[in-house]
Amino acid sequence: MKVKFNIDNQLAGESAEFWLKKMTNKFSQLGKELSGEQDTIWCSYDDEIIPVKFENIYS
């Protein structure tokens, strides 16, 4: 997949647009993260960084 970033300090707001062949879980999660609709937090466990859903955090 090609990725291109255009930087313009004069923009009033930021936006992103994706053209996909099909929606996948990976792209769905990316969209949630970019739009601030996260349902997970990234945590360090042993030598890995893993996503943990808010609903699975007890304390």
Side-chain angles (χ1 to χ4, degrees), residues 13-29:
E14 297 175 323
S15 65
E17 185 172 315
F18 296 91
W19 294 79
L20 308 170
K21 288 185 179 183
K22 70 175 191 172
M23 178 57 77
T24 65
N25 288 338
K26 188 175 182 180
F27 287 120
S28 178
Q29 183 63 33

Side-chain angles (χ1 to χ4, degrees), residues 5 15 17 19-26 33 37 39 42-46 50-51 54 56:
F5 292 96
S15 65
E17 185 172 315
W19 294 79
L20 308 170
K21 288 185 179 183
K22 70 175 191 172
M23 178 57 77
T24 65
N25 288 338
K26 188 175 182 180
E33 289 181 26
E37 299 175 21
D39 63 349
W42 290 90
C43 300
S44 175
Y45 180 76
D46 289 333
I50 59 169
F54 291 142
N56 294 330

